[in-house]
Amino acid sequence: MSLRKFDKSNFNFSNELIQGYLMVKGHIDPIVTKNAPKGYKPNAWMKLDRIVHATVWMHSSKSMYFTMQSCSTAFQLWKTLSDTYEKEVASTNTYLIRHLYNLRMK
């Protein structure tokens, strides 16, 4: 399975693709859970976390580097990306809806 790079402009779409990819691989836990769920040995959790962290990095564009550079865990990385880029998309959507509404009123 191949994933394309994602950036600020297509974050909502790409985050669904990456989550699906991680789910298929059985690697979704590190982005949805801060600490290791029961049944994980500490070394196995750290290894899985690094794999997921690297997967997200590899499929991110250079424009997201400064947002991602301080994140040391996959959970922290995913939360930072979501907090940063989902808000931007939400405000853009609000602007577009208002613009569309104003066009109809004229």
Side-chain angles (χ1 to χ4, degrees), residues 34-96:
K34 187 173 185 173
N35 299 314
K38 290 182 182 178
Y40 279 101
K41 294 181 180 176
N43 288 340
W45 178 254
M46 285 179 15
K47 181 178 179 181
L48 180 59
D49 186 73
R50 297 308 306 158
I51 289 169
V52 172
H53 191 273
T55 300
V56 173
W57 264 96
M58 289 176 4
H59 294 95
S60 301
S61 70
K62 290 178 185 178
S63 66
M64 299 169 81
Y65 172 77
F66 291 107
T67 304
M68 299 167 52
Q69 73 180 5
S70 64
C71 301
S72 59
T73 66
F75 181 82
Q76 183 184 22
L77 176 63
W78 198 254
K79 181 163 177 25
T80 299
L81 291 174
S82 295
D83 290 349
T84 303
Y85 298 117
E86 283 181 340
K87 287 180 183 176
E88 286 184 11
V89 172
S91 64
T92 302
N93 287 344
T94 302
Y95 167 77
L96 291 173

Side-chain angles (χ1 to χ4, degrees), residues 1 3-4 6 10-24 28 31 78 82 86:
M1 177 181 238
L3 292 173
R4 61 185 114 148
F6 71 100
N10 66 357
F11 181 77
N12 283 347
F13 177 71
S14 296
N15 86 11
E16 294 295 329
L17 290 177
I18 289 179
Q19 286 184 36
Y21 177 79
L22 294 172
M23 183 73 75
V24 167
I28 195 73
I31 66 168
W78 198 254
S82 295
E86 283 181 340

